[in-house]
Amino acid sequence: MIRVVVVDDQELMRVGFRMVLGAQADIDVVGEAGDGAQAIELAERLRPDVVLMDVRMPVLDGVEATKRIVADGTARVLVMTTFDLDEYVYAALQGGASGFLLKDTQPDHLVSALRAVASGDAVVSPSVTRRLLDRFVGTGGAPRDTAELDVLTDREREVLVLIAKGMSNLEIAEALFLSEATVKTHVGRILAKLGLRDRVQAVVLAYETGLTRPGIS
């Protein structure tokens, strides 16, 4: 069973998420919270696999709550937001969130994304994540030092660029004429060499170092 804590300051949203997730045989909603402080307390006490986290909430927002939960190794965090809160979502990704979804996402997409996060993957949507990163990465100052990328082979750099475009392992395999298993191996090596937790952090790093930039297809 995938144990989930739902965090949103609107009770109707929490009820909706509980109904969608609770209908799945492999998902158990073990708790609900209306603000970030409650989320941290529940995560510490209940030890869920995933926290479904709203961003803008009273007492403590979802960005700070995400940072604390991830830093403690309590659970993985999947952020839910509306598109007009992009800056908060980017901060949450930097703080360790394993991805994010828009609140109007289809129920089946929510369920599959939550399962992916619970299994240790990350939710990186080409249509949303790239748009967010295009808008925010690289606008806050000098680019991050690229020296840390020197540990990567040329092929691993190629794969990292495609990860940053939001491509799945299968899509990368097709683009580079490799097997999906080979791509999975490359992704694992990239994360290990760069000390990254998941694909979301890889995307952020690729943009921050200038390995890829907004507008590059």
Side-chain angles (χ1 to χ4, degrees), residues 112-146:
S112 61
L114 192 141
R115 286 173 177 150
V117 169
S119 68
D121 205 346
V123 180
V124 183
S125 167
S127 62
V128 180
T129 304
R130 284 193 63 199
R131 195 160 65 198
L132 182 150
L133 291 170
D134 286 353
R135 180 175 173 186
F136 289 100
V137 177
T139 61
R144 187 167 169 175
D145 186 5
T146 62

Side-chain angles (χ1 to χ4, degrees), residues 135-155:
R135 180 175 173 186
F136 289 100
V137 177
T139 61
R144 187 167 169 175
D145 186 5
T146 62
E148 59 192 301
L149 299 180
D150 292 345
V151 296
L152 302 181
T153 65
D154 290 341
R155 176 62 85 188

Side-chain angles (χ1 to χ4, degrees), residues 165-198:
K165 292 179 179 178
M167 288 188 177
S168 66
N169 286 351
L170 178 58
E171 291 169 332
I172 294 172
E174 292 173 347
L176 298 180
F177 303 101
L178 301 172
S179 71
E180 190 173 358
T182 298
V183 172
K184 186 175 181 180
T185 298
H186 283 311
V187 172
R189 288 174 178 168
I190 290 167
L191 298 181
K193 286 182 177 182
L194 298 177
L196 305 175
R197 186 188 63 256
D198 54 37

Side-chain angles (χ1 to χ4, degrees), residues 8-103:
D8 198 293
D9 64 336
Q10 297 182 45
E11 185 176 359
L12 276 177
M13 293 300 298
R14 297 199 303 272
V15 170
F17 289 141
R18 177 182 281 276
M19 289 179 61
V20 170
L21 299 176
Q24 308 303 311
D26 60 334
I27 297 176
D28 183 15
V29 179
V30 296
E32 298 179 17
D35 61 62
Q38 292 178 355
I40 294 171
E41 188 277 325
L42 279 183
E44 290 177 346
R45 179 160 55 86
L46 300 177
R47 295 286 166 174
D49 300 296
V50 180
V51 175
L52 189 62
M53 181 77 74
D54 187 19
V55 176
R56 183 172 285 178
M57 296 181 293
V59 184
L60 188 71
D61 66 34
V63 173
E64 185 60 32
T66 293
K67 291 178 181 178
R68 297 187 192 180
I69 289 172
V70 172
D72 290 342
T74 308
R76 297 174 67 84
V77 177
L78 176 59
V79 172
M80 299 291 292
T81 185
T82 51
F83 188 65
D84 61 341
L85 296 179
D86 280 353
E87 64 272 22
Y88 294 96
V89 181
Y90 179 59
L93 293 179
Q94 288 185 310
S98 293
F100 67 92
L101 296 174
L102 300 183
K103 285 189 176 180

